[in-house]
Amino acid sequence: MVKSLNSGRWMAALLLLLGMAFTTGCNPKKIETPPPVPTPTPVIPPGSVVFVQRGHLVRLDLDSSQVTPLTGGKSTEWFPACSPKGDQVVYWSNAVDSGSGGKGALGTYNLWKINLDGSNRVQLTFDETNSLETGDQNLLANDAPSWSPDGKKIIYAMGGDIWQMDWDGFNPETVLIGRGALCPVLSPDLKSVMFIANPDNTVYNIWVYKIGRASCRE
């Protein structure tokens, strides 16, 4: 009787070990996780356009068609150029900085910069002569400034000479003198500048000048 019980116990233990072996040897069934819900790609607004309306700068939001005045008063603004990031615009204006004591007066045309929300209006150049000729003011020739592709420099023509400065107006330096240049634009590598000029008083043509060299080509 004792032998029979021992045999039964051994058989039960053997079956238990076999069950454990089969259980541990089988991989558990994987529960398939449903794919994540795709995140919709945000629609980028088409942006804004800055232009001159009745002598002042306005911003037109292309997504809402809302027009927002950026400048006003007695001054006149010309030739806005937006920064590569689209957050600032540089332009010509005959406004007078209110901090100079000439509030409400009109000065000579100089370059100014303003944020696209209308804040932080800053004068960048301080030329004391009328650097924007009457013909330029009447749109007979475009004298727009422009930004470098990285937004760190502003290049412009003043009195027919090409200048460039830092985006905040500091460190102005001449690039080309005596060419009667208008509308300078820097190349992506910042080594050349393209502009229009009328050196022979005949017709305007496009010229390219490699910065640091003594000559330019048509």
Side-chain angles (χ1 to χ4, degrees), residues 35-55:
V37 178
T39 303
T41 303
V43 178
I44 301 175
S48 302
V49 174
V50 177
F51 60 96
V52 176
Q53 185 179 67
R54 297 184 180 90

Side-chain angles (χ1 to χ4, degrees), residues 27-83:
N27 294 326
K29 184 179 180 181
K30 293 183 179 180
I31 300 175
E32 295 186 1
T33 305
V37 178
T39 303
T41 303
V43 178
I44 301 175
S48 302
V49 174
V50 177
F51 60 96
V52 176
Q53 185 179 67
R54 297 184 180 90
H56 296 297
L57 301 186
V58 296
R59 185 188 76 239
L60 170 65
D61 294 322
L62 299 180
D63 53 344
S64 64
S65 299
Q66 180 179 353
V67 176
T68 304
L70 298 181
T71 61
K74 296 181 179 180
S75 62
T76 303
E77 283 73 47
W78 294 104
F79 311 127
C82 290
S83 64

Side-chain angles (χ1 to χ4, degrees), residues 113-170:
K113 180 167 64 72
I114 193 171
N115 292 341
L116 238 63
D117 61 1
S119 64
N120 196 28
R121 186 174 66 102
V122 179
Q123 186 174 351
L124 300 179
T125 63
F126 297 86
D127 190 50
E128 295 181 355
T129 61
N130 195 357
S131 57
L132 198 62
E133 300 297 333
T134 303
D136 300 338
Q137 298 171 35
N138 293 328
L139 302 179
L140 296 180
N142 186 338
D143 195 17
S146 65
W147 299 73
S148 62
D150 58 8
K152 295 181 179 180
K153 294 285 186 180
I154 296 174
I155 191 165
Y156 58 99
M158 181 178 287
D161 302 331
I162 297 178
W163 291 71
Q164 70 175 359
M165 60 184 169
D166 295 342
W167 66 273
D168 54 6
F170 288 94

Side-chain angles (χ1 to χ4, degrees), residues 148-150 185-193 208-211:
S148 62
D150 58 8
V185 178
L186 281 168
S187 62
D189 61 5
L190 309 182
K191 295 182 179 180
S192 300
V193 58
V208 176
Y209 169 70
K210 289 192 174 181
I211 297 176

Side-chain angles (χ1 to χ4, degrees), residues 72-94:
K74 296 181 179 180
S75 62
T76 303
E77 283 73 47
W78 294 104
F79 311 127
C82 290
S83 64
K85 291 183 178 180
D87 58 344
Q88 295 180 318
V89 56
V90 62
Y91 59 95
W92 290 101
S93 177
N94 63 348

